[in-house]
Amino acid sequence: MRYKGISPMPKTKGKPPKKRISATKFRFGYLVHDVSRTRRTLMDQYMRPLGITRSQWTVMSALSRGDETGLMQVDLARLLDVGKVTVGGLIDRLENTGHVERRPDPGGDRRVKRVFITEQGYEILDKMIDVSEDLNQRILDGITPEELAITEDVLMRVKENIRKETMAAAHRPSNDDG
């Protein structure tokens, strides 16, 4: 069957097929992505008994890294690389369960609310840390402290290279400029 606009595959009678690109060239990116994805899935299973979803524990984790001034919703959205509406819904749910609260901005801008972890939120964070430490111990079984230190160092350098490349790419003219 021939589809409109699609040419048939050329016949290669007697010719060897063109060598295909090896998937091993993409192995690093695949492994980084797959380890992250499968760890998140496993973490979901471990967090489920605490009554907290992946998105919620991601918000709680990000808030816990902040300081005592809390975070503005827009900054949290930027940090998590999600939309403001998405973060707003997550904060609503976390606020309804008593894990976070919104407070007026001390700078006096009445439109701005800052998000803070509540005492109940810190209690769940302590449990999340215990679960996470247990899980990390299990998934790092058989990996020496030296191997882990090397892995972390390499990943931090890769992250920094990606950050630099992202900044450089943002300053390059696009192909649409003329």
Side-chain angles (χ1 to χ4, degrees):
M1 172 182 246
R2 187 172 170 160
Y3 295 95
K4 191 174 186 173
I6 298 177
S7 303
M9 292 293 292
K11 298 206 187 311
T12 57
K13 210 179 234 181
K15 295 181 186 175
K18 205 176 196 182
K19 187 175 178 186
R20 298 182 78 170
I21 295 174
S22 170
T24 58
K25 293 181 187 252
F26 306 108
R27 187 170 186 213
F28 176 78
Y30 168 77
L31 284 172
V32 168
H33 171 77
D34 204 45
V35 166
S36 178
R37 180 188 60 78
T38 55
R39 184 182 181 280
R40 281 191 316 266
T41 300
L42 188 58
M43 190 72 148
D44 279 345
Q45 292 171 3
Y46 273 67
M47 292 295 172
R48 192 169 294 125
L50 300 178
I52 194 158
T53 68
R54 175 188 307 171
S55 299
Q56 290 171 331
W57 60 256
T58 302
V59 169
M60 295 288 290
S61 179
L63 286 170
S64 74
R65 291 185 194 98
D67 57 23
E68 62 277 347
T69 62
L71 277 175
M72 290 189 303
Q73 202 167 297
V74 66
D75 292 335
L76 190 56
R78 194 175 303 119
L79 181 66
L80 299 176
D81 197 28
V82 296
K84 291 182 278 187
V85 173
T86 300
V87 165
L90 288 166
I91 293 169
D92 287 344
R93 286 189 287 288
L94 286 166
E95 196 169 33
N96 288 338
T97 58
H99 294 107
V100 301
E101 64 184 8
R102 290 178 173 106
R103 297 183 201 153
D105 183 56
D109 188 342
R110 293 188 311 188
R111 297 169 299 171
V112 176
K113 299 277 190 219
R114 292 192 168 272
V115 183
F116 292 85
I117 300 173
T118 63
E119 203 53 49
Q120 181 180 337
Y122 280 111
E123 288 172 14
I124 199 78
L125 266 172
D126 286 341
K127 291 177 185 173
M128 288 168 56
I129 289 167
D130 290 343
V131 167
S132 182
E133 285 175 349
D134 178 55
L135 178 60
N136 282 339
Q137 198 169 29
R138 291 169 188 255
I139 65 177
L140 295 173
D141 185 45
I143 297 170
T144 67
E146 295 79 18
E147 291 170 323
L148 182 58
I150 290 168
T151 302
E152 289 173 346
D153 179 59
V154 169
L155 288 173
M156 289 303 290
R157 287 186 290 168
V158 168
K159 183 178 177 178
E160 178 60 18
N161 290 342
I162 290 170
R163 188 197 63 75
K164 287 177 188 174
E165 190 59 31
T166 301
M167 295 297 288
H171 291 69
R172 282 190 203 113
S174 72
N175 292 337
D176 296 338
D177 287 348

